[in-house]
Amino acid sequence: MLERTSTTERFVRAAIAAVAAVAALVLAANAGPAKATEDHRADPVEQVEQVDQAGHARRG
């Protein structure tokens, strides 16, 4: 039969889980994208004209 855990043991487990969760969040927040070594810019985006079924043109 399973033994009931004490209140202190449950509290300690919860505290450890909270510390682990905070540590994971801090590590995830600090893991940003890598910095580029050279300045590479994206090509400009072209505008496309969309035509709906009725033949009306929309810019998008």
Side-chain angles (χ1 to χ4, degrees):
M1 184 181 247
L2 294 175
E3 242 181 85
R4 185 178 172 110
T5 57
S6 69
T7 304
T8 305
E9 187 178 353
R10 286 192 308 245
F11 177 78
V12 170
R13 285 183 181 180
I16 291 171
V19 169
V22 169
L25 289 172
V26 169
L27 289 174
N30 288 330
K35 295 191 183 221
T37 55
E38 297 178 15
D39 187 22
H40 292 286
R41 296 185 185 262
D43 293 332
V45 178
E46 296 178 17
Q47 264 195 335
V48 178
E49 189 173 318
Q50 297 176 347
V51 179
D52 60 10
Q53 291 179 352
H56 299 103
R58 295 185 320 180
R59 289 237 168 214

